[in-house]
Amino acid sequence: MNVKLFGEFFVTLLVIVDPPGMVPVFLGLTGSMPAKARNRAATQAVLLALGVIVGFAVAGQTLLDYLHVQLPALQAAGGLLLVLVALQLLTGKTDEPAEQGGTSNVALVPIGTPLLAGPGAIVATMLYVQRAESADEYLVLAAAILAVMACVWLVLRFSGVIVRLLRPAGIEVLTRIAGLLLAAIAVQLIADAINAFVKSYAALP
């Protein structure tokens, strides 16, 4: 097993996904849910993120080339989606009854993607896959992805302890903070995408 490759990719992907940084956003979106629903949301989000990252690892570049989509465009789209979610958090219009599918929606979008499986994680995965030169190295990368997703699941799964400490008033404050954080992340994604587009077109003859 290529321990060096595993360590490099594991640390890179873990830093990009940032499980501790996900906790405020996750609790802001799911803090009012029952414990069982919140745990189910954590599992759904991680499974979706795993599927998206693996999917882009296997066929990401081919798919983007076929659709004539550049990576900055994917980044900007993720930023716009996060702006909408941030506005919902800041205005308090996020409470959906569980029977209407609110739990699934929150788990899949925006937690699963583009927060966990966002442009950064997708691009990093695609770059490491392009570097791999043998089946063993592909297996190492797959193991690193699974390890990172396991870490994320553990952090989100046990975030309920924080919910019990914060109480409803604390969750309300945390929701607003999460909205601000998401808005900042969204603006940064869009700014990076614009910067990438400008550099790309400036380099053209």
Side-chain angles (χ1 to χ4, degrees), residues 22-24 26-27 30 38-39 42 153-166 171:
M22 274 297 303
V23 171
F26 179 74
L27 292 181
T30 65
R38 188 169 54 252
N39 292 339
W153 182 82
L154 287 172
V155 170
L156 298 185
R157 172 66 177 77
F158 293 102
S159 61
V161 177
I162 301 175
V163 172
R164 288 195 291 272
L165 293 174
L166 291 177
I171 292 297

Side-chain angles (χ1 to χ4, degrees), residues 137-205:
E137 291 187 347
Y138 288 125
L139 290 176
V140 167
L141 296 180
I145 293 173
L146 290 174
V148 169
M149 290 297 109
C151 291
V152 173
W153 182 82
L154 287 172
V155 170
L156 298 185
R157 172 66 177 77
F158 293 102
S159 61
V161 177
I162 301 175
V163 172
R164 288 195 291 272
L165 293 174
L166 291 177
R167 309 283 183 175
I171 292 297
E172 182 72 17
V173 173
L174 194 61
T175 300
R176 300 298 181 264
I177 295 174
L180 288 173
L181 292 174
L182 270 186
I185 294 171
V187 170
Q188 187 63 56
L189 283 174
I190 294 172
D192 289 345
I194 292 173
N195 184 48
F197 274 124
V198 169
K199 287 183 177 180
S200 174
Y201 286 107
L204 293 176

Side-chain angles (χ1 to χ4, degrees), residues 27-114:
L27 292 181
L29 291 167
T30 65
S32 60
M33 295 178 181
K36 181 180 284 189
R38 188 169 54 252
N39 292 339
R40 185 167 62 248
T43 301
Q44 290 174 339
V46 169
L47 288 177
L48 174 66
L50 176 62
V52 170
I53 290 176
V54 170
F56 273 93
V58 173
Q61 193 60 57
T62 302
L63 177 62
L64 293 181
D65 290 343
Y66 177 76
L67 296 175
H68 303 290
V69 173
Q70 299 179 36
L71 286 174
L74 187 67
Q75 195 168 5
L80 291 174
L81 178 60
L82 290 185
V83 166
L84 296 177
V85 178
L87 290 175
Q88 289 178 343
L89 287 173
L90 289 170
T91 57
K93 297 178 180 179
T94 59
D95 295 326
E96 297 181 35
E99 56 270 19
Q100 293 183 8
T103 301
S104 296
N105 290 337
V106 168
L108 302 181
V109 179
I111 299 174
T113 182

Side-chain angles (χ1 to χ4, degrees), residues 113-129:
T113 182
L115 287 177
L116 292 179
I122 290 171
V123 171
T125 301
M126 290 171 61
L127 290 176
Y128 271 91
V129 167

